[in-house]
Amino acid sequence: MSIVIAVDGTAASGKGTLAKRLAQHFGFHHLDSGSLYRLVALGVHEAKGDPDAEADALAAARIIDPAKAADPRIRSAEIGHMASLVSVFPGVRETLLAYQRNFAARAPGAVIDGRDIGTVVCPDAVAKLFVDAAPEVRAHRRFLELQSYGASPNEADLLEELKARDIRDRTRAVAPLKPASDAALLDTTHLGIEPAFAAALALVEPRVEQALKARPRG
Ligand code: DC
């Protein structure tokens, strides 16, 4: 049995960094599920399709290659926006579900970050975090991240885009962004990476240790 840690949360809340660090700590695999939706968005973009058209989004979802998640083009603000648009379609979500569930089954364990991991993709995850931070703080983090990719974003525009994205992610009909009822909430507004990681580890570690002990040997 594989052990899954679900790390959900808002855009630029720090969930991706925390998930990566948790995976390193436990020696687990890490999946950034947002990169799958971003790959779908890139596919629509390259096919000159419409991200608001379900048929275009679905056609792209069916042929994405998750091995391309390191492509820097999926990190742009435009593709992030389009990813939020294509992610509202149930067919797109369904298409990406099998890949995420297979990933979750990888031994010895997996840390998956996203919006619906603790609620829909892996409701039986042994530990669930829901990460959030004030929108202004998240916009600043996204600003620094995009700069590190060589872009010159406008921080005020990023803030507006983040707020719009939060609303879209929270209000979509299928698998909306919301904490699982058994998720631990972590607000990183006033936490740098190290204190945030320490807080995340303190919430997750007892559950992971328990699951490791309960796992059948051999
Ligand atoms: O985490 P991110 O910014 O890379 O995610 C981009 C978009 O993908 C996000 O706005 C909504 C969508 N997404 C989703 O619907 N479900 C997930 N599990 C992950 C991302």
Side-chain angles (χ1 to χ4, degrees):
M1 185 197 77
S2 164
I3 294 176
V4 178
I5 303 173
V7 184
D8 289 304
T10 48
S13 59
K15 63 185 187 311
T17 304
L18 292 174
K20 213 177 290 168
R21 290 283 302 268
L22 287 168
Q24 275 165 3
H25 179 86
F26 292 109
F28 289 176
H29 304 279
H30 169 236
L31 174 64
D32 160 13
S33 66
S35 69
L36 304 176
Y37 293 89
R38 285 171 180 264
L39 283 168
V40 174
L42 181 65
V44 171
H45 181 70
E46 292 203 312
K48 299 199 177 5
D50 175 1
D52 280 318
E54 181 156 19
D56 289 3
L58 201 49
R62 290 201 174 114
I63 57 169
I64 62 158
D65 178 1
K68 297 206 172 125
D71 187 333
R73 288 177 303 164
I74 68 169
R75 295 292 146 203
S76 73
E78 185 192 1
I79 294 296
H81 170 71
M82 285 175 71
S84 175
L85 298 178
V86 298
S87 71
V88 305
F89 296 121
V92 170
R93 306 200 69 83
E94 190 63 35
T95 304
L96 302 184
L97 196 55
Y99 178 81
Q100 295 174 84
R101 293 228 169 111
N102 284 336
F103 192 98
R106 290 175 71 176
V111 186
I112 308 184
D113 66 87
R115 303 289 189 291
D116 63 337
I117 308 305
T119 50
V120 174
V121 179
C122 300
D124 297 330
V126 299
K128 299 179 186 178
L129 286 179
F130 190 88
V131 189
D132 200 2
E136 292 72 18
V137 170
R138 293 188 283 124
H140 187 62
R141 288 180 188 154
R142 191 41 59 88
F143 173 78
L144 296 177
E145 183 194 345
L146 289 170
Q147 268 193 336
S148 78
Y149 287 107
S152 357
N154 175 305
E155 198 166 329
D157 289 349
L158 287 177
L159 177 58
E160 287 317 303
E161 163 59 21
L162 268 187
K163 286 181 177 168
R165 188 121 75 94
D166 283 354
I167 293 172
R168 194 162 42 241
D169 291 349
R170 285 184 200 278
T171 56
R172 67 176 174 232
V174 181
L177 168 68
K178 65 167 183 212
S181 57
D182 51 351
L185 305 183
L186 179 58
D187 187 327
T188 65
T189 303
H190 302 292
L191 300 178
I193 291 175
E194 291 308 324
F197 175 64
L201 192 58
L203 290 166
V204 160
E205 197 160 35
R207 288 164 176 268
V208 174
E209 294 296 334
Q210 202 180 14
L212 285 169
K213 271 191 211 129
R215 188 156 60 173
R217 285 173 195 280

